[in-house]
C-alpha cells in the first residue's frame, strides 16, 4: 500500500514508518517543517507538507493514499491535553470525511491509560465518561459505518523501542534530580508497556472495520520494578514515597505514575496473529544509553 502517516517524524510514527517500509509499503509522511522534510527524504519517505493545526490540509494526503495511519498528537503542552484532544478530534473528522465510502483502512491512536484503573483493560471496554481522546476513538469507530475500515490502536502507557523509553525518560530525569529513584505507595501498581510499530502495520493490513486493538506486550510492569531498574541504571538508592507526594516529586507525571492501569492484548493477538517478541520494558531498561 501507499500509506499516509501523520506524525511520521515522531517517536511512534517514525517507528511505524520504518516498519511499513521493511514490509514493502510506500509511505507518504506528514511534516510541517523543512527539517522534518529533510529527515523523511533521507529515510526514503515521500514528503507531504501540512499540519494537524490545519486539519483541512491533510485531506489530499488521505485521498492520495491507500490507507492512513494517524499517530500525530500535540504534546507541546502536557498540562493542556484536553485542548490537544479537541484538535485531534478535528483531524480525525477531516480524515474520516475524506475516506468515507472508500473502504480504505484508517488507523488512529488512543491508548490504554486510565480507561479503567485497577482492572485489566480489555479490547471490548469503552471509555466512560466519554471525553478527551475517548471522543476521538468513538469518532474513529463511527467511520466504520461509512465504509471506512476504521481501527483504533491503543498503545500501552509506556511505548518504548531502540533508544527511546517513552514516559520512563521523565522518571529517569526525576531520579537524577532528586538523587534517588522513587515509586509511589507500595510500588505494586501496574503499567502496561510495548514496542508498538508492528501492531500498527498488522492493523492496517488485516484488522476488520470497527476494531479496537491493544498494543500491549507487558500487561503490567509495577512501578516498583520500574523504579528498581532506574535505580540500578543510575546507581542510586530506591525509595517509596507517599502517593500524595507523587505530583511534587514527579511533576505532571506523578498522578499517572500512581495509577494501577494494567491491560491485556489477548484478543488482539488472536485477531491479528500478533506475537510480541521484541524486548520488554525491563529488558530495554538494562541498556546503559538511557542513563547516560
Amino acid at each position: 500500500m501507499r500509506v499516509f502517516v501523520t506524525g511520521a517524524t515522531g517517536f511512534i510514527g517514525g517507528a511505524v514508518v520504518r516498519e511499513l517500509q521493511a514490509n514493502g509499503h510506500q509511505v507518504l509522511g506528514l511534516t510541517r517543517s523543512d527539517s522534518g522534510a529533510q529527515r523523511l527524504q533521507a529515510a526514503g519517505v515521500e514528503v507531504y507538507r501540512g499540519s494537524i493545526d490545519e486539519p483541512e490540509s491533510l485531506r489530499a494526503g488521505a485521498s492520495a493514499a491507500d490507507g492512513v495511519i494517524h499517530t500525530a498528537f500535540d504534546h507541546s503542552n502536557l498540562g493542556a491535553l484536553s485542548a490537544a484532544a479537541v484538535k485531534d478530534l478535528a483531524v480525525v473528522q477531516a480524515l474520516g470525511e475524506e475516506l468515507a465510502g472508500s473502504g480504505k483502512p484508517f488507523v488512529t491512536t488512543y491508548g490504554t491509560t486510565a480507561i479503567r484503573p485497577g482492572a485489566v483493560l480489555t479490547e471490548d471496554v469503552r471509555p466512560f465518561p466519554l471525553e478527551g481522546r475517548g471522543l476521538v476513538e468513538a469518532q474513529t469507530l463511527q467511520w466504520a459505518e461509512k465504509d471506512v475500515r476504521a481501527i483504533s490502536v491503543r498503545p500501552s502507557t509506556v511505548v518504548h523501542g531502540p533508544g527511546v523509553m517513552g514516559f520512563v525518560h521523565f522518571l529517569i530525569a526525576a531520579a537524577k534530580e532528586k538523587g534517588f529513584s522513587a515509586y509511589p505507595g507500595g510500588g505494586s501498581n501496574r503499567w502496561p508497556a510495548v514496542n508498538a510499530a508492528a501492531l500498527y502495520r498488522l492493523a492496517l493490513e488485516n484488522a476488520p472495520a470497527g476494531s479496537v486493538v491493544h498494543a500491549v506486550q507487558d500487561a503490567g510492569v509495577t512501578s516498583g520494578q520500574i523504579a528498581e531498574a532506574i535505580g540500578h541504571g543510575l546507581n542510586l538508592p530506591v525509595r517509596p514515597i507517599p502517593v500524595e507526594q507523587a505530583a511534587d516529586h514527579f511533576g505532571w507525571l506523578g498522578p499517572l505514575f500512581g495509577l494501577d492501569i494494567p491491560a491485556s492484548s489477548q484478543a488482539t493477538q488472536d485477531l491479528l496473529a500478533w506475537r510480541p517478541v521484541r524486548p520488554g520494558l525491563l529488558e530495554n531498561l538494562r541498556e546503559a544509553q538511557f542513563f547516560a
Side-chain angles (χ1 to χ4, degrees), residues 180-189 223-224 227-228 238-242 250 257:
F180 67 98
S181 179
Y183 58 85
S188 62
N189 62 295
S223 61
E228 288 284 352
V238 180
R239 303 175 190 164
I241 60 171
F250 297 108
F257 194 39

Side-chain angles (χ1 to χ4, degrees), residues 1-3 24-27 66-68 105 149 204-206:
M1 299 182 199
R2 186 183 190 216
V3 186
H25 299 289
Q26 296 177 316
V27 178
D66 301 311
V68 176
R149 187 156 63 82
L204 174 90
E205 294 172 343
N206 300 315

Side-chain angles (χ1 to χ4, degrees), residues 85-171:
V86 171
K87 181 187 299 185
D88 199 35
L89 185 63
V91 170
V92 169
Q93 179 69 24
L95 291 171
E97 288 176 354
E98 194 63 35
L99 294 171
S102 69
K104 294 177 182 179
F106 179 29
V107 182
T108 68
T109 303
Y110 179 29
T112 60
T113 301
I115 296 178
R116 192 171 64 172
V120 177
L121 179 69
T122 54
E123 292 86 341
D124 60 311
V125 176
R126 300 294 179 265
F128 183 83
L130 198 58
E131 58 189 7
R133 295 189 82 177
L135 287 168
V136 177
E137 179 177 87
Q139 177 65 69
T140 296
L141 300 179
Q142 287 177 9
W143 288 116
E145 302 171 5
K146 304 291 185 181
D147 193 23
V148 178
R149 187 156 63 82
I151 303 130
S152 177
V153 174
R154 292 176 176 172
S156 298
T157 303
V158 180
V159 179
H160 58 93
V164 184
M165 195 50 69
F167 284 151
V168 177
H169 282 298
F170 295 97
L171 303 178

